[in-house]
Structure formats: C-alpha cells, structure tokens
Amino acid sequence: MTFQEQILQGIPNTLPTPKEFNSDINHAPKRKAILTNEEKKLALRNALRYFDSHHHKTLLPEFIDELETYGRIYMYRLRPDYKMYARPIEEYPAKTKQAAAIMLMIQNNLDYAVAQHPHELITYGGNGGVFSNWAQYLLTMKYLAEMTEEQTLVMYSGHPMGLFPSHKDAPRVVVTNGMMIPNYSKPDDWEKYNALGVTQYGQMTAGSYMYIGPQGIVHGTTITVLNGFRKIKKSPKGHLFVTSGLGGMSGAQPKAGNIAGCITVCAEVNPKITHVRLDQGWIDEKITDLDQLVSRIQQAKQQKETISIAYLGNVVDVWEKLDEENIKIDLGSDQTSLHNPWAGGYYPVDMSFEEANNLMAKNPKLFKEKVQETLRRHAKAINKHTSKGTYFFDYGNAFLLEASRAGAQVMAENPSHGREFKYPSYVQDIMGPMCFDYGFGPFRWVCASGKAEDLAKTDAIACQVLEHIKENSPQEIQQQMADNIQWIKGAQENKLVVGSQARILYADAEGRMKIAQAFNDAISRGEIGYVILGRDHHDVSGTDSPYRETSNIYDGSRYTADMAIHNVIGDSFRGATWVSIHNGGGVGWGEVINGGFGMVLDGSIDAERRLKSMLFWDVNNGISRRSWARNDEAMFAIKRAMKAEPNLKVTLPNLVDDKLLDSF
C-alpha cells in the first residue's frame, strides 16, 4: 500500500503482524504498576474497543503483556511501517490543506529525530504524549484525511471522538489533554488514568502538535542565558553555565550556550540521548570522568572558549566536584523533567541509569526516597556555590518545588507573596519583566512545503520586518528587538532545524502580525508555499503556571487559570486552525493550565483577516492580565496597544501608596 492508502484505511481490517521490540530506539521507562485487577480489566476493555470483536482474542494476550511489561497499552503491533516525518503538505491525502497541515505537524512530533520516545508516542518531557496508543494515531489521521471545512475533529486526550458538523471559520481541530476534575490531578492520578487509557499528559506542544524539536526552546534559552549574564553584569565569554538534561527540550541548553558565547556544562544520565545530541551537533564534547571535566573547564576558562560539554552522569556529582575543586560557576540552573520526578524525569545519584530504571518499576517507594535524597544533596551543593557568588535560577522545571517537598534548603528566609523560594524562577527575574510583560514570546512557524529554501526566505522576510519595526520602537523594547534580529540573522548558520523546516523567534503582537502578514503576502505572490503559524504554550497569554509563566504576577492571582481558558476560547472564534488546552506541561500535572494554537496561512484574504484578529488577541489578553496585576512593563505595553488599536479598551489598575498600608 502507498503512504496515502495506509492513511486512508485508518485501523486496518486485517491486523498487521506483531512488531519486534527495537532496543536501538530510546524507549519510555516502564510505568509503575498502579492498577487493581479490576482496573486492569477495564484498561483492557478500553483498549479493545478500538477493534472489531473478532480481533479481541488475538489482541487480548498481547495487550495483557504490554500492560504487565510496560505499565501501558501502546498497541505496538499497529505502529506504521512507513517513515515518520513531516512530509511536504502536498503528499498528505486530505480534502482541505488545513487538515493536511495538522497531519504534517503530528508526524513531525513523532519523527525519530524529534520525539524522545517515538514508539510510545511521547515527544518530550518523559511523558508528553501526542497519543496514548497507535490506534488513536491511525484513527486521527484517517479522520483528518476525510475532513472537510464544514467539520471539526474533537480530540479527548489523544482519543479522536470524531468529526462533527461545523463551519469554515471554526477550528478544524479542538484538542484537550488531561483536563481532570481538580481533586484528581495528582501524579498518581495521571499514572492511573493514563494506564486506563482515558487521559494523557500532552505536555505543552506535544499533545497540541506544535513541537518543532529542541529549536523550540533554544531561542528562549539563549535569551535567558544572555540576560542572566547581563543581570550579573558579566560577558558570557569565558564564563561558566552549569545545568542538566539533554532529552527533549532540555537538549537546547548546550546549543543556546554556544550561541550566547559561554562555557556550558550539561549533565545527562541517559547514554542514548547523549549520543543523539552529540551526533546532531547540539553538544561539542562528551566527558565521562569528573577529573577530566574539571581539567577541561579550567582550560576553557583560561582560553575563554565558547564550548558545550556534556557530562555523562549525574549533575549532583558535577556540582559537588566543582565545589571541591573551587571552580567558579557563574550561572546555574537545571532542566531535568522534575514535573515527572517519579517516572523518569529525574534520576538518583550514586546509581546507574539501568539500576535506577529497574528500581523505578520494581520499588517505586524506594525510588521516590532516593530521588528526594538526591534533591536534598543537589540543593545543598547549589547553596555552597551561591554562597560564593553563583547566580542560580529555577528554569521552570519544578526543581525548587520538588526540592522543597523533599525538605531541601531552598526556602527564602524572609518570604514575600510570590517569592517563597531562595532562588527565583527565570520568569520572575528574566523572562517575565524583560519579555512576557512587554508581549514578547515564542512565535514560531513551519514551512509546509518542507523546502529549506522556503525557510531561508521566511527568515529573510522576518528579519526585514523586525528591522523596520525597530526603527520606530520605543527605548523600552530596543534590546528585545536587537536580540531577535541577531537571532534570526544567525539562525541558518546555527543549524537549528531538527525535523520540520521550522523557525522560532520572540516577537510581540505587532511583530507577529506584521511577520505573518508578510508571509501571507509572499504566499499569495507564489514566492513560498503555505506556512503554519504557532507558538510554544510558554508565552505571554497561553499559560497559567504559578511557578513559571505567571510566577511574576504578585497580586495573588497566579494560581488562577482564567487567562489560559480565555486565550483558547478567544483564539477559537478569531480564526485559529486548531486550538488546544492542557492540564500539565513543564512543571507538572495539576500545576499548570496551558493553551496553544496552530494557524495555516494560504495567501488568501481570509487568512489575512484571521491572523490580524487572532494574533492581536493571543498576545494582548496576557498583557492586560499582567497589567491588572500592576506589572510596570505590562502597564506600559497595554497602554501602547490601546493607543495603536482604538477598539481595545482595557481596565487599568489604580496604584495604592504603600505608606497607606504600613500601619495595617
């Protein structure tokens, strides 16, 4: 069968032969046994309902084995034989290019070069799933191939509920992931209901089909590192940034360090992903010996090198060794998947990767104890370095939150509202006041033609637009504009593409709309093919996350989620091609609500109308909320937005003299 024929058949009537387990692929760790016997029967019933009853006797023992062996039913047998990657949009069998664009993005999320655990349909973060099983993938792709612009596909946490009558201005797909009743949003709830096959953890851009490989966070990490060095008034040249995590999004850190121009040491316990990052050129060197690492850092400092070094081992050993050797760390952070600490997101020290994985599955209680013991050691080592002048920040991975729960010494001596930890979230000190409050966030696009030359043309268009905007931009955002122009000019030489022909840069509403308009015009003239717009959920408006995206909101509302919900509702009726809303992502299940979108530009007047309406809302919804929280930069930005758009009228806060409250 051709690729198109396989897509159109969906779940095949004749079962394919079972697939052999490929040990060369990076696989998800075995999930802990959490289901009762009755719940296991329910999980099996839930899995078998995708198939005609005459297949049930064949599939039942297979699904029992998967559930017992891996803790989940992935339906490996149904994994397609064709290569998984983002094909040019014309190759997808679809009645509308909007649906074909979504198919392209789904396959990009599952590309072996992009996905962390491709056979388990997990894109990044250890548990960020596009789907829960392969039947869901096959059925979804079939629905997309059949869809017209008078239908909307409804996705329930990976499960395609079906095509419903709709209209051309409605989203083609509406996605929810993990939207639990609040009292059922603890980590073990995810383990249970995911094992039952009734919900999934979509992370931020995995389950919303908008992940573009580690490039998606390289830019944000580059800005964070640059501004981190600006904060401590040091040039990156010859200075040391220490962090950990090379899987999924965290793999962006060494590349970002190279672009910023510092010495980066990034520890990683997984040999396979370390090898992948070395092959991809995202790290320069791999070191497995701590003494050799110390020597290499000293050499790099002396010669003021720009270099990224992966240490294959636990980052706690690195922090402790550098303290013993009195090696100065200038910037420190961590980007392991601590939103998922008990299921492979963070590994205990003094234990091999294989030993830890075995312990995780066989004795989860002891594994948790070992993780928390390691977190205490980790924090203790960091505290020693910060007492010597290291600037440490939480990179939004729930490090401080989980360390505090483990009893580590990370709490502030004099906590204030919203600043309970000894160290700041990077949003509190860097990305919030410098970017999000001004409306700058991770705008991204994918060239649906799959042509590198189209990406180069869009880079040039975006650069030209930004340079023109910068000429008349206020002083308050000149640095942001300059950083993005520098980024886009170096994007090609930094070889950031992994998977789809995609790009990301930080832009405000004006930048996003003008860049999108310029793309749409170029498509209309036949200069480039279709373009798919999107963003990371980690943005100005899409995410309510008290320990990350909204951690610099100090009016007491950082635990509310109105903004993310309004963002998705507003995007839906303003022209998004697809929208998504998730529980969990980045900082953990039950700790965040985040929303995203995708929009297809086809060069039409209709696309022009949609982009102007939706992109303006998508950013200014968040700025207005941040302004109401009395964030100075956001108040400046929303007043500027109201001046530019007379139909925008936002409630502004009246500031209270603190002296009035001093006697309270």
Side-chain angles (χ1 to χ4, degrees), residues 297-364:
I297 292 171
Q298 289 170 330
Q299 179 188 1
K301 277 177 168 279
Q302 185 178 13
Q303 297 178 1
K304 293 190 174 181
E305 292 181 64
T306 295
I307 190 168
S308 56
I309 304 165
Y311 172 70
L312 182 55
N314 200 292
V315 72
V316 176
D317 291 324
V318 175
W319 281 98
E320 291 176 345
K321 180 68 172 179
L322 297 188
D323 174 56
E324 292 170 11
E325 300 292 337
N326 205 28
I327 300 290
K328 175 66 181 293
I329 298 173
D330 299 285
L331 290 186
S333 192
D334 182 86
Q335 210 181 13
T336 51
S337 296
L338 267 161
H339 68 277
N340 181 33
W342 326 126
Y346 184 88
Y347 280 78
V349 72
D350 298 333
M351 188 178 296
S352 74
F353 183 61
E354 292 76 15
E355 289 170 339
N357 278 326
N358 286 332
L359 184 64
M360 186 195 314
K362 294 178 180 177
N363 192 341

Side-chain angles (χ1 to χ4, degrees), residues 543-565:
T543 294
D544 283 294
S545 177
Y547 297 104
R548 197 164 77 178
E549 283 78 5
T550 48
S551 62
N552 71 318
I553 289 178
Y554 301 122
D555 69 349
S557 70
R558 66 185 182 135
Y559 295 96
T560 66
D562 302 81
M563 181 177 71
I565 300 300

Side-chain angles (χ1 to χ4, degrees), residues 25 36 86 92 107 161 168 174 218 283 364 370 438 464 482 486 518 521 542 569 601 608 612 650:
I25 299 295
T36 65
Y92 291 95
Q107 290 203 309
M161 189 62 71
K168 73 179 185 66
V174 175
V218 170
I283 53 176
K370 293 291 185 183
Y438 284 118
Q464 186 177 25
Q486 180 184 351
D521 291 344
I569 293 171
L601 300 182
E608 179 179 337
K612 287 179 179 177
V650 170

Side-chain angles (χ1 to χ4, degrees), residues 164-216:
F164 289 81
S166 186
H167 56 86
K168 73 179 185 66
D169 284 333
R172 296 281 67 79
V173 181
V174 175
V175 180
T176 57
N177 280 299
M179 299 305 293
M180 305 296 293
I181 301 301
N183 282 347
Y184 300 89
S185 256
K186 297 178 181 64
D188 273 357
D189 293 323
W190 172 74
E191 294 282 359
K192 175 184 285 190
Y193 296 111
N194 188 230
L196 285 173
V198 295
T199 194
Q200 71 171 9
Y201 192 92
Q203 265 284 355
M204 302 190 92
T205 52
S208 60
Y209 325 141
M210 192 40 76
Y211 190 61
I212 59 170
Q215 178 190 178

Side-chain angles (χ1 to χ4, degrees), residues 264-280:
T264 305
V265 171
C266 189
E268 171 58 55
V269 296
N270 186 336
K272 283 185 180 177
I273 197 63
T274 306
H275 183 71
V276 167
R277 294 296 182 228
L278 190 64
D279 278 354
Q280 289 176 339

Side-chain angles (χ1 to χ4, degrees), residues 7 116 124 211 257 325 437 473 488:
I7 292 293
Q116 185 181 15
Y124 65 91
Y211 190 61
E325 300 292 337
D437 286 351
S473 293
I488 202 70

